[in-house]
Amino acid sequence: MKKGFTLMELLVVIAILSILSTIGIWYWSGYKNSEALSKDRLGVMAMFEEARSLSVASKSNSMFGVHLSSSSVSVFQGDTYDPGNSENINYSLNGS
């Protein structure tokens, strides 16, 4: 009597492992996206808090604002946002 596995048994095991691997990768990518979104949410909240703190402290007797774009968040001084201003405080979002 021969011992070992048949080709059909090996194919079934490979198929099951492939399905489990695909499900695992799908869940892992969802987890990574969720963590990146959570990190960005905390970063945006921190930028709003920074702008609020600077305005309340009346730093340089000026107002501060928050500029949102698809790839970053910036705290700026004054009434209007100037992307070239070196005093801007920038936070890059993970999705960029």
Side-chain angles (χ1 to χ4, degrees):
M1 180 185 236
K2 293 183 180 180
K3 294 184 179 186
F5 298 106
T6 66
L7 179 60
M8 185 57 93
E9 290 171 329
L10 290 175
L11 290 176
V12 168
V13 169
I14 290 172
I16 290 171
L17 289 175
S18 298
I19 291 169
L20 291 175
S21 296
T22 302
I23 291 170
I25 290 170
W26 182 70
Y27 276 115
W28 176 252
S29 68
Y31 172 76
K32 283 178 51 178
N33 289 341
S34 175
E35 287 298 310
L37 181 61
S38 179
K39 182 180 178 222
D40 282 347
R41 179 184 56 84
L42 292 173
V44 169
M45 287 173 47
M47 296 302 275
F48 275 102
E49 180 63 29
E50 179 73 14
R52 187 191 71 77
S53 296
L54 291 171
S55 292
V56 168
S58 297
K59 181 181 177 188
S60 304
N61 291 328
S62 186
M63 296 186 314
F64 289 82
V66 177
H67 175 78
L68 302 170
S69 72
S70 61
S71 61
S72 66
V73 180
S74 301
V75 173
F76 62 91
Q77 183 176 356
D79 294 335
T80 57
Y81 173 67
D82 176 14
N85 189 339
S86 62
E87 293 182 10
N88 291 345
I89 303 169
N90 298 307
Y91 176 80
S92 294
L93 300 174
N94 285 316
S96 58

PDB file of all heavy atoms in Angstrom, residues 42-64:
ATOM      1  N   LEU A  42      -7.043  62.292  14.043  1.00  0.00           N
ATOM      2  CA  LEU A  42      -6.386  62.881  15.214  1.00  0.00           C
ATOM      3  C   LEU A  42      -5.486  64.049  14.817  1.00  0.00           C
ATOM      4  O   LEU A  42      -5.404  65.060  15.515  1.00  0.00           O
ATOM      5  CB  LEU A  42      -5.586  61.817  15.965  1.00  0.00           C
ATOM      6  CG  LEU A  42      -6.414  60.729  16.650  1.00  0.00           C
ATOM      7  CD1 LEU A  42      -5.506  59.655  17.217  1.00  0.00           C
ATOM      8  CD2 LEU A  42      -7.295  61.328  17.727  1.00  0.00           C
ATOM      9  N   GLY A  43      -4.807  63.923  13.666  1.00  0.00           N
ATOM     10  CA  GLY A  43      -3.947  65.005  13.188  1.00  0.00           C
ATOM     11  C   GLY A  43      -4.736  66.254  12.841  1.00  0.00           C
ATOM     12  O   GLY A  43      -4.326  67.374  13.162  1.00  0.00           O
ATOM     13  N   VAL A  44      -5.869  66.090  12.191  1.00  0.00           N
ATOM     14  CA  VAL A  44      -6.711  67.237  11.831  1.00  0.00           C
ATOM     15  C   VAL A  44      -7.265  67.893  13.093  1.00  0.00           C
ATOM     16  O   VAL A  44      -7.277  69.124  13.215  1.00  0.00           O
ATOM     17  CB  VAL A  44      -7.851  66.802  10.873  1.00  0.00           C
ATOM     18  CG1 VAL A  44      -8.876  67.907  10.703  1.00  0.00           C
ATOM     19  CG2 VAL A  44      -7.283  66.385   9.526  1.00  0.00           C
ATOM     20  N   MET A  45      -7.697  67.071  14.048  1.00  0.00           N
ATOM     21  CA  MET A  45      -8.199  67.633  15.301  1.00  0.00           C
ATOM     22  C   MET A  45      -7.102  68.415  16.020  1.00  0.00           C
ATOM     23  O   MET A  45      -7.359  69.486  16.577  1.00  0.00           O
ATOM     24  CB  MET A  45      -8.725  66.503  16.206  1.00  0.00           C
ATOM     25  CG  MET A  45     -10.035  65.926  15.720  1.00  0.00           C
ATOM     26  SD  MET A  45     -10.599  64.460  16.619  1.00  0.00           S
ATOM     27  CE  MET A  45     -10.404  64.914  18.305  1.00  0.00           C
ATOM     28  N   ALA A  46      -5.871  67.908  15.982  1.00  0.00           N
ATOM     29  CA  ALA A  46      -4.753  68.598  16.620  1.00  0.00           C
ATOM     30  C   ALA A  46      -4.469  69.935  15.944  1.00  0.00           C
ATOM     31  O   ALA A  46      -4.138  70.922  16.617  1.00  0.00           O
ATOM     32  CB  ALA A  46      -3.506  67.717  16.595  1.00  0.00           C
ATOM     33  N   MET A  47      -4.615  69.986  14.633  1.00  0.00           N
ATOM     34  CA  MET A  47      -4.377  71.243  13.908  1.00  0.00           C
ATOM     35  C   MET A  47      -5.450  72.279  14.268  1.00  0.00           C
ATOM     36  O   MET A  47      -5.143  73.463  14.448  1.00  0.00           O
ATOM     37  CB  MET A  47      -4.343  71.000  12.400  1.00  0.00           C
ATOM     38  CG  MET A  47      -3.183  70.117  11.960  1.00  0.00           C
ATOM     39  SD  MET A  47      -1.567  70.755  12.423  1.00  0.00           S
ATOM     40  CE  MET A  47      -1.258  71.832  11.075  1.00  0.00           C
ATOM     41  N   PHE A  48      -6.694  71.856  14.375  1.00  0.00           N
ATOM     42  CA  PHE A  48      -7.751  72.783  14.796  1.00  0.00           C
ATOM     43  C   PHE A  48      -7.500  73.275  16.222  1.00  0.00           C
ATOM     44  O   PHE A  48      -7.678  74.449  16.532  1.00  0.00           O
ATOM     45  CB  PHE A  48      -9.135  72.123  14.696  1.00  0.00           C
ATOM     46  CG  PHE A  48      -9.747  72.218  13.328  1.00  0.00           C
ATOM     47  CD1 PHE A  48      -9.735  71.142  12.474  1.00  0.00           C
ATOM     48  CD2 PHE A  48     -10.338  73.398  12.909  1.00  0.00           C
ATOM     49  CE1 PHE A  48     -10.296  71.229  11.209  1.00  0.00           C
ATOM     50  CE2 PHE A  48     -10.910  73.504  11.652  1.00  0.00           C
ATOM     51  CZ  PHE A  48     -10.886  72.416  10.797  1.00  0.00           C
ATOM     52  N   GLU A  49      -7.061  72.383  17.085  1.00  0.00           N
ATOM     53  CA  GLU A  49      -6.761  72.755  18.469  1.00  0.00           C
ATOM     54  C   GLU A  49      -5.580  73.733  18.519  1.00  0.00           C
ATOM     55  O   GLU A  49      -5.585  74.691  19.297  1.00  0.00           O
ATOM     56  CB  GLU A  49      -6.458  71.509  19.306  1.00  0.00           C
ATOM     57  CG  GLU A  49      -6.139  71.783  20.749  1.00  0.00           C
ATOM     58  CD  GLU A  49      -7.294  72.416  21.518  1.00  0.00           C
ATOM     59  OE1 GLU A  49      -8.455  72.179  21.164  1.00  0.00           O
ATOM     60  OE2 GLU A  49      -7.020  73.162  22.472  1.00  0.00           O
ATOM     61  N   GLU A  50      -4.583  73.497  17.676  1.00  0.00           N
ATOM     62  CA  GLU A  50      -3.427  74.402  17.612  1.00  0.00           C
ATOM     63  C   GLU A  50      -3.856  75.798  17.170  1.00  0.00           C
ATOM     64  O   GLU A  50      -3.445  76.812  17.752  1.00  0.00           O
ATOM     65  CB  GLU A  50      -2.374  73.838  16.648  1.00  0.00           C
ATOM     66  CG  GLU A  50      -1.154  74.697  16.470  1.00  0.00           C
ATOM     67  CD  GLU A  50      -0.225  74.679  17.663  1.00  0.00           C
ATOM     68  OE1 GLU A  50      -0.366  73.806  18.529  1.00  0.00           O
ATOM     69  OE2 GLU A  50       0.658  75.560  17.724  1.00  0.00           O
ATOM     70  N   ALA A  51      -4.688  75.873  16.137  1.00  0.00           N
ATOM     71  CA  ALA A  51      -5.174  77.174  15.658  1.00  0.00           C
ATOM     72  C   ALA A  51      -5.985  77.873  16.746  1.00  0.00           C
ATOM     73  O   ALA A  51      -5.845  79.080  16.968  1.00  0.00           O
ATOM     74  CB  ALA A  51      -6.014  77.000  14.397  1.00  0.00           C
ATOM     75  N   ARG A  52      -6.816  77.126  17.437  1.00  0.00           N
ATOM     76  CA  ARG A  52      -7.613  77.698  18.513  1.00  0.00           C
ATOM     77  C   ARG A  52      -6.715  78.216  19.642  1.00  0.00           C
ATOM     78  O   ARG A  52      -6.876  79.331  20.129  1.00  0.00           O
ATOM     79  CB  ARG A  52      -8.594  76.669  19.071  1.00  0.00           C
ATOM     80  CG  ARG A  52      -9.577  77.266  20.084  1.00  0.00           C
ATOM     81  CD  ARG A  52     -10.347  76.198  20.817  1.00  0.00           C
ATOM     82  NE  ARG A  52      -9.534  75.467  21.757  1.00  0.00           N
ATOM     83  CZ  ARG A  52      -9.150  75.932  22.960  1.00  0.00           C
ATOM     84  NH1 ARG A  52      -9.496  77.128  23.346  1.00  0.00           N
ATOM     85  NH2 ARG A  52      -8.409  75.188  23.753  1.00  0.00           N
ATOM     86  N   SER A  53      -5.734  77.420  20.023  1.00  0.00           N
ATOM     87  CA  SER A  53      -4.830  77.821  21.104  1.00  0.00           C
ATOM     88  C   SER A  53      -4.040  79.074  20.742  1.00  0.00           C
ATOM     89  O   SER A  53      -3.871  79.980  21.570  1.00  0.00           O
ATOM     90  CB  SER A  53      -3.854  76.691  21.432  1.00  0.00           C
ATOM     91  OG  SER A  53      -4.528  75.579  21.933  1.00  0.00           O
ATOM     92  N   LEU A  54      -3.547  79.131  19.518  1.00  0.00           N
ATOM     93  CA  LEU A  54      -2.781  80.308  19.084  1.00  0.00           C
ATOM     94  C   LEU A  54      -3.662  81.550  19.046  1.00  0.00           C
ATOM     95  O   LEU A  54      -3.223  82.647  19.416  1.00  0.00           O
ATOM     96  CB  LEU A  54      -2.147  80.054  17.715  1.00  0.00           C
ATOM     97  CG  LEU A  54      -1.024  79.021  17.686  1.00  0.00           C
ATOM     98  CD1 LEU A  54      -0.636  78.703  16.244  1.00  0.00           C
ATOM     99  CD2 LEU A  54       0.181  79.492  18.472  1.00  0.00           C
ATOM    100  N   SER A  55      -4.905  81.392  18.602  1.00  0.00           N
ATOM    101  CA  SER A  55      -5.817  82.531  18.542  1.00  0.00           C
ATOM    102  C   SER A  55      -6.191  83.008  19.938  1.00  0.00           C
ATOM    103  O   SER A  55      -6.214  84.213  20.210  1.00  0.00           O
ATOM    104  CB  SER A  55      -7.087  82.170  17.771  1.00  0.00           C
ATOM    105  OG  SER A  55      -6.798  81.961  16.414  1.00  0.00           O
ATOM    106  N   VAL A  56      -6.468  82.081  20.843  1.00  0.00           N
ATOM    107  CA  VAL A  56      -6.830  82.451  22.212  1.00  0.00           C
ATOM    108  C   VAL A  56      -5.654  83.131  22.905  1.00  0.00           C
ATOM    109  O   VAL A  56      -5.830  84.097  23.639  1.00  0.00           O
ATOM    110  CB  VAL A  56      -7.303  81.205  23.001  1.00  0.00           C
ATOM    111  CG1 VAL A  56      -7.397  81.496  24.488  1.00  0.00           C
ATOM    112  CG2 VAL A  56      -8.638  80.730  22.473  1.00  0.00           C
ATOM    113  N   ALA A  57      -4.441  82.650  22.639  1.00  0.00           N
ATOM    114  CA  ALA A  57      -3.251  83.239  23.254  1.00  0.00           C
ATOM    115  C   ALA A  57      -2.886  84.575  22.606  1.00  0.00           C
ATOM    116  O   ALA A  57      -2.005  85.268  23.089  1.00  0.00           O
ATOM    117  CB  ALA A  57      -2.077  82.270  23.139  1.00  0.00           C
ATOM    118  N   SER A  58      -3.547  84.919  21.523  1.00  0.00           N
ATOM    119  CA  SER A  58      -3.296  86.158  20.779  1.00  0.00           C
ATOM    120  C   SER A  58      -1.827  86.291  20.395  1.00  0.00           C
ATOM    121  O   SER A  58      -1.233  87.363  20.503  1.00  0.00           O
ATOM    122  CB  SER A  58      -3.744  87.374  21.587  1.00  0.00           C
ATOM    123  OG  SER A  58      -5.120  87.330  21.819  1.00  0.00           O
ATOM    124  N   LYS A  59      -1.244  85.201  19.944  1.00  0.00           N
ATOM    125  CA  LYS A  59       0.149  85.220  19.504  1.00  0.00           C
ATOM    126  C   LYS A  59       0.301  86.211  18.357  1.00  0.00           C
ATOM    127  O   LYS A  59      -0.423  86.163  17.374  1.00  0.00           O
ATOM    128  CB  LYS A  59       0.586  83.827  19.058  1.00  0.00           C
ATOM    129  CG  LYS A  59       2.016  83.767  18.606  1.00  0.00           C
ATOM    130  CD  LYS A  59       2.404  82.379  18.155  1.00  0.00           C
ATOM    131  CE  LYS A  59       3.822  82.397  17.639  1.00  0.00           C
ATOM    132  NZ  LYS A  59       4.191  81.146  17.012  1.00  0.00           N
ATOM    133  N   SER A  60       1.205  87.130  18.485  1.00  0.00           N
ATOM    134  CA  SER A  60       1.492  88.163  17.475  1.00  0.00           C
ATOM    135  C   SER A  60       0.267  89.034  17.204  1.00  0.00           C
ATOM    136  O   SER A  60       0.162  89.618  16.126  1.00  0.00           O
ATOM    137  CB  SER A  60       1.976  87.539  16.171  1.00  0.00           C
ATOM    138  OG  SER A  60       3.097  86.731  16.379  1.00  0.00           O
ATOM    139  N   ASN A  61      -0.665  89.109  18.142  1.00  0.00           N
ATOM    140  CA  ASN A  61      -1.890  89.898  17.960  1.00  0.00           C
ATOM    141  C   ASN A  61      -2.554  89.596  16.620  1.00  0.00           C
ATOM    142  O   ASN A  61      -2.937  90.502  15.890  1.00  0.00           O
ATOM    143  CB  ASN A  61      -1.607  91.394  18.089  1.00  0.00           C
ATOM    144  CG  ASN A  61      -1.251  91.770  19.503  1.00  0.00           C
ATOM    145  OD1 ASN A  61      -1.744  91.164  20.454  1.00  0.00           O
ATOM    146  ND2 ASN A  61      -0.384  92.752  19.666  1.00  0.00           N
ATOM    147  N   SER A  62      -2.661  88.347  16.298  1.00  0.00           N
ATOM    148  CA  SER A  62      -3.191  87.953  15.002  1.00  0.00           C
ATOM    149  C   SER A  62      -4.176  86.799  15.160  1.00  0.00           C
ATOM    150  O   SER A  62      -4.196  86.107  16.171  1.00  0.00           O
ATOM    151  CB  SER A  62      -2.041  87.518  14.090  1.00  0.00           C
ATOM    152  OG  SER A  62      -2.505  87.270  12.800  1.00  0.00           O
ATOM    153  N   MET A  63      -4.987  86.607  14.127  1.00  0.00           N
ATOM    154  CA  MET A  63      -5.906  85.467  14.080  1.00  0.00           C
ATOM    155  C   MET A  63      -5.193  84.311  13.374  1.00  0.00           C
ATOM    156  O   MET A  63      -4.249  84.527  12.610  1.00  0.00           O
ATOM    157  CB  MET A  63      -7.163  85.831  13.288  1.00  0.00           C
ATOM    158  CG  MET A  63      -7.991  86.920  13.912  1.00  0.00           C
ATOM    159  SD  MET A  63      -9.550  87.196  13.046  1.00  0.00           S
ATOM    160  CE  MET A  63      -9.080  87.238  11.340  1.00  0.00           C
ATOM    161  N   PHE A  64      -5.665  83.126  13.631  1.00  0.00           N
ATOM    162  CA  PHE A  64      -5.121  81.943  12.979  1.00  0.00           C
ATOM    163  C   PHE A  64      -6.271  81.152  12.377  1.00  0.00           C
ATOM    164  O   PHE A  64      -7.373  81.140  12.906  1.00  0.00           O
ATOM    165  CB  PHE A  64      -4.350  81.067  13.975  1.00  0.00           C
ATOM    166  CG  PHE A  64      -3.056  81.687  14.412  1.00  0.00           C
ATOM    167  CD1 PHE A  64      -3.025  82.647  15.411  1.00  0.00           C
ATOM    168  CD2 PHE A  64      -1.877  81.333  13.792  1.00  0.00           C
ATOM    169  CE1 PHE A  64      -1.832  83.228  15.800  1.00  0.00           C
ATOM    170  CE2 PHE A  64      -0.678  81.903  14.176  1.00  0.00           C
ATOM    171  CZ  PHE A  64      -0.657  82.857  15.188  1.00  0.00           C
TER     172      PHE A  64
END
